[in-house]
Amino acid sequence: MRPVARIESDFAEKFGIPRQSGLVDALCARVVFEPAYRDRSAVRGLEQFSHIWLLWQFSEVRQTGWSPTVRPPRLGGNTRVGVFATRSPYRPNPIGLSCVRLERVEQDEALGPVLWVRGADLLDGTPIYDIKPYIPFADCRPDASEGYTAQTRGYRLEVRCPEGLRADLPAGKWEALAGVLSGDPRPSYQEDPERVYGMKFAGYEVGFTVADSVLTVCRIRPVRPGQEG
């Protein structure tokens, strides 16, 4: 198989990326096709759908071999479950599956058809191997069991940030960043209220602390050349 496209997102590194797609609708990204697939007829009719599936590769995962069990972060990092009962990137074939909202299909003079999407949980530059329409009557199962994920579904942090720091971000980026931060980017086993965590987002380095379910942003500054990730 070969990639048909790559995504352009605000995430220059893995830390901070939402653990599932669709959790932060304010996150905007675009899917740019590889030169061999820049044919507008290949996406004819796709604009009729509100959501699409992206099948992609965990391209930054480095592993040798595989383990039959993994430790999901939201279970505290101590409980092991079967790899096929998780969406962990550490699996025999590092393939990801994301459902994203299709905002529009744009025809670019140089790039051909470009898909603008919302809610993507992909690292910038991630190779995409296939794109399929989300079909509600076939893909939606309202009575499906949530398994162990039910205990973590509603977990959110309160996000606080001085108004002056927000002003440093480009227009429209704060809502997306706040959504990402509210999902708590930290590993579940880290609970040090004094620790300052750092993540890169939309060309900025964001520092924050977490104490008593409150995340406080303490710095937002442009990423210096050579630190893009």
Side-chain angles (χ1 to χ4, degrees), residues 77-88:
N78 296 316
T79 303
R80 284 193 171 273
V81 297
V83 64
F84 297 125
T86 75
R87 296 188 178 184
S88 167

Side-chain angles (χ1 to χ4, degrees), residues 32-33 35 38 107-114:
V32 177
F33 286 92
R38 292 175 182 173
Q107 295 297 330
D108 184 275
E109 185 175 340
L111 301 175
V114 174

Side-chain angles (χ1 to χ4, degrees), residues 54-200:
L54 302 179
L55 282 79
W56 47 277
Q57 179 190 5
F58 288 101
S59 53
E60 296 301 305
V61 171
R62 300 291 181 262
Q63 64 181 36
T64 56
W66 68 285
S67 172
T69 61
V70 296
R71 296 180 292 183
R74 278 286 173 254
L75 293 182
N78 296 316
T79 303
R80 284 193 171 273
V81 297
V83 64
F84 297 125
T86 75
R87 296 188 178 184
S88 167
Y90 300 99
R91 48 201 321 112
N93 294 309
I95 298 298
L97 174 69
S98 296
C99 181
V100 297
R101 182 155 68 91
L102 179 61
E103 191 166 66
R104 67 183 185 275
V105 179
E106 181 179 273
Q107 295 297 330
D108 184 275
E109 185 175 340
L111 301 175
V114 174
L115 311 183
W116 287 85
V117 299
R118 286 183 172 268
D121 55 339
L122 283 72
L123 184 72
D124 184 53
T126 293
I128 296 172
Y129 283 86
D130 204 3
I131 298 165
K132 301 178 187 291
Y134 176 91
I135 304 174
F137 81 85
D139 295 343
C140 182
R141 294 289 184 266
D143 59 342
S145 172
E146 296 178 276
Y148 62 83
T149 64
Q151 62 187 285
T152 63
R153 173 166 45 92
Y155 179 77
R156 286 288 184 274
L157 296 177
E158 177 186 347
V159 178
R160 297 176 183 175
C161 179
E163 197 67 36
L165 290 182
R166 296 190 197 183
D168 293 336
L169 289 170
K173 293 298 183 182
W174 168 248
E175 183 182 359
L177 175 60
V180 170
L181 295 175
S182 70
D184 194 355
R186 304 171 303 160
S188 295
Y189 53 82
Q190 293 184 358
E191 294 289 347
D192 182 0
E194 301 299 322
R195 177 169 179 174
V196 178
Y197 298 87
M199 61 172 280
K200 295 183 177 69

Side-chain angles (χ1 to χ4, degrees), residues 18-65:
R19 292 180 172 88
Q20 303 292 341
S21 61
L23 297 181
V24 184
D25 187 70
L27 283 173
C28 294
R30 67 178 195 167
V31 176
V32 177
F33 286 92
E34 294 289 277
Y37 305 101
R38 292 175 182 173
D39 187 329
R40 67 175 59 196
S41 62
V43 297
R44 184 184 303 156
L46 192 63
E47 73 283 350
Q48 300 176 32
F49 296 88
S50 65
H51 292 74
I52 57 177
W53 290 107
L54 302 179
L55 282 79
W56 47 277
Q57 179 190 5
F58 288 101
S59 53
E60 296 301 305
V61 171
R62 300 291 181 262
Q63 64 181 36
T64 56

